[in-house]
Amino acid sequence: MNSILLNLMLVLSVFSILVIAIQPTKNQNSSNAFLSGGNLFGTQKARGFEAVLIRVTVVCLILFFACALVLIKMSA
């Protein structure tokens, strides 16, 4: 069971790195947000492919941390 969870964590970590790497960047940097009066927290909703990537990232990271907690519980 340990080896299955460790392999799952490895796959999830590589997959989450790839999903995070392909997400589009925001055009507005921090200095523009403060100086131009733009919206600092970006309340604009993500749409389309970007929204799917955000959901996939969240699910992948939740599964990763759940596997980590199960491994900690099993080793104790």
Side-chain angles (χ1 to χ4, degrees), residues 52-64:
V52 171
L53 285 178
I54 291 171
R55 287 187 190 116
V56 169
T57 304
V58 168
V59 168
C60 188
L61 292 176
I62 288 172
L63 288 174
F64 179 83

Side-chain angles (χ1 to χ4, degrees), residues 17-73:
I17 289 170
L18 291 175
V19 171
I20 290 170
I22 64 171
Q23 288 184 356
T25 59
K26 305 291 182 204
N27 291 336
Q28 187 177 22
N29 61 17
S30 61
S31 63
N32 287 344
F34 288 117
L35 298 177
S36 66
N39 193 355
L40 178 62
F41 296 109
T43 58
Q44 188 177 24
K45 286 183 96 173
R47 299 181 192 270
F49 185 64
E50 185 179 352
V52 171
L53 285 178
I54 291 171
R55 287 187 190 116
V56 169
T57 304
V58 168
V59 168
C60 188
L61 292 176
I62 288 172
L63 288 174
F64 179 83
F65 285 113
C67 287
L69 290 174
V70 169
L71 280 171
I72 289 171
K73 188 71 171 171

